[in-house]
Amino acid sequence: MPKVILGIETSCDDTAAAVVVEGQLRSSVVASQQALHNRYGGVVPELASRDHQRQIVPVVRQALQEAQLQPADVDAVAVTYGPGLIGSLLVGLSFAKAFALGLGRPLIGVNHLEGHMYSVFLTAPSPPFPYLCLVVSGGHTQLVRVEAGFQHEVLGRTRDDAAGEAFDKVARLLGLGYPGGPEIDRLAQKGDPAFIRFPQPRLEGYDFSFSGLKTAVLYYLNQFSETERDRLLRHHLADLCAAFQQAVVDVLIDALRRAVEATGIRHVAIVGGVSANSGLRAAAEALSQALDFRLYIPPMAYCMDNAAMIAITGYFKAQAGLTSPLTLSAKPTLAA
Ligand code: KG4
Ligand code: ZN
């Protein structure tokens, strides 16, 4: 049974490597490209893949050094093969294949979304199976029932924008920087969520839709003249942030509440970058008290994209004998 798992993640704009030994995290290194993409207001795929190429070797070397291990100590290589940007995925996947082939070790392909779902096993306490997992990040929004043995069921997913993407796009409309989630969160804490009520689309089942909400903010702003809009943003920016954030949180929490009631599952995880949101955290904690379930939100470092979650998922997959052929290809649109 492989003991030492090297995890590699390059699906978007973070080059990351981590080491898990017998289910315990030993090191986790993330080289963020945020500064590279900031001035474009979003990730530029071509720049991302080039930067992954530049970073992958030093990042893996650092992860091994921090774990006080040599390359030959690695028993298996776990790597994200999708979903994500094709050029970015290919850098990590090609590196992982070469590493695995060179050392004669198994390769373990990991779905990035599974990685987020299993990030709850990096720290104690971790939930028992089955648990409900709300994955909310810049790229994904879905509610999953996670069963043992990689038998999960996606209960609902976004039909358009991810929750984090909605935060980022609305932040841009409000003249805030990228990524916009943290900034909206900070301002929302000083604002009045009842300043205006934005629409909160409730779809059938547990699916989400956030693009209408973004458009509602745009239409709201467009009804004013430029001078009026400037004045509004000067005096009511925090209120607008609070109202928008409230709409997103209400939609997410409503789905979570219905899922807990329908499934009777008493263990709920929230993972992904948006789980940092203070409004979402407070609402989820209140819901956990009201419905008497246990809430698991990993530390921020493991909520943002990282390779620790890929290494721990690889560890679970290795336990289940789930390895991948060296012909594994990158799958940009892989679903959970
Ligand atoms: O998980 P993550 O690092 O990357 C993806 O896999 O997408 O998530 C990044 C997303 C961004 O959209 C960012 O705006 C959002 O998470 N985010 C937040 C907060 N912190 C990060 N959104 C709302 N409130 C926050 N405090
Ligand atoms: Zn992610």
Side-chain angles (χ1 to χ4, degrees):
M1 190 64 65
K3 284 186 183 161
V4 180
I5 314 279
L6 170 66
I8 293 173
E9 154 67 39
T10 63
S11 67
C12 189
D13 59 344
D14 293 297
T15 316
V19 176
V20 159
V21 178
E22 295 192 78
Q24 300 298 314
L25 183 65
R26 284 284 189 85
S27 66
S28 177
V29 178
V30 181
S32 168
Q33 303 178 353
Q34 200 174 304
L36 191 66
H37 303 286
N38 263 353
R39 65 191 147 124
Y40 300 102
V43 177
V44 184
E46 184 55 34
L47 293 182
S49 62
R50 262 191 260 163
D51 207 57
H52 285 308
Q53 284 178 16
R54 194 173 64 80
Q55 295 279 13
I56 186 75
V57 171
V59 164
V60 169
R61 190 173 282 144
Q62 193 185 336
L64 287 170
Q65 262 168 14
E66 287 182 14
Q68 299 184 318
L69 294 169
Q70 300 296 321
D73 297 324
V74 172
D75 293 325
V77 187
V79 61
T80 305
Y81 71 104
L85 299 169
I86 181 74
S88 291
L89 288 167
L90 280 172
V91 176
L93 186 56
S94 309
F95 180 91
K97 284 182 184 176
F99 195 103
L101 181 67
L103 289 169
R105 303 291 195 270
L107 180 76
I108 304 172
V110 173
N111 179 325
H112 180 83
L113 296 167
E114 273 176 2
H116 276 300
M117 277 146 45
Y118 278 71
S119 63
V120 288
F121 296 105
L122 287 165
T123 45
S126 49
F129 293 104
Y131 60 94
L132 290 172
C133 187
L134 180 64
V135 184
V136 269
S137 70
H140 339 277
T141 298
Q142 54 186 32
L143 183 58
V144 191
R145 176 196 177 107
V146 189
E147 302 276 353
F150 292 90
Q151 297 298 315
H152 38 261
E153 181 193 354
V154 178
L155 301 176
R157 52 164 63 89
T158 182
R159 295 200 187 158
D160 38 60
D161 293 349
E165 193 179 355
F167 270 96
D168 296 338
K169 287 179 174 172
V170 167
R172 206 169 172 176
L173 294 176
L174 297 175
L176 303 170
Y178 170 85
E183 189 72 350
I184 290 187
D185 188 1
R186 192 180 61 75
L187 287 161
Q189 292 176 35
K190 295 181 283 187
D192 174 11
F195 178 68
I196 169 178
R197 192 179 151 77
F198 288 120
Q200 299 175 6
R202 300 273 197 275
L203 303 186
E204 248 171 68
Y206 301 102
D207 275 359
F208 305 100
S209 166
F210 292 108
S211 77
L213 177 56
K214 168 199 67 195
T215 312
V217 176
L218 178 68
Y219 283 1
Y220 176 77
L221 293 173
N222 279 353
Q223 68 182 319
F224 300 106
S225 71
E226 214 175 312
T227 340
E228 285 169 337
R229 198 162 53 230
D230 284 351
R231 192 172 332 120
L232 177 80
L233 290 179
R234 223 172 315 118
H235 296 296
H236 293 289
L237 183 59
D239 296 330
L240 289 171
C241 288
F244 162 75
Q245 179 170 299
Q246 188 69 49
V248 176
V249 169
D250 283 354
V251 166
L252 294 172
I253 291 294
D254 178 62
L256 209 49
R257 179 184 51 73
R258 287 184 288 117
V260 171
E261 284 173 347
T263 61
I265 295 175
R266 288 281 170 274
H267 297 274
V268 176
I270 305 184
V271 302
V274 183
S275 70
N277 186 266
S278 57
L280 180 61
R281 280 181 178 235
E285 261 150 37
L287 188 70
S288 88
Q289 303 268 323
L291 298 189
D292 191 26
F293 63 77
R294 190 146 184 192
L295 183 63
Y296 304 82
I297 304 181
M300 206 43 211
Y302 310 136
C303 274
M304 314 294 281
D305 282 353
N306 66 86
M309 68 186 195
I310 303 305
I312 195 79
T313 312
Y315 173 76
F316 276 86
K317 286 202 144 181
Q319 302 283 309
L322 298 169
T323 58
S324 310
L326 285 174
T327 51
L328 179 71
S329 52
K331 304 229 166 30
T333 58
L334 186 66

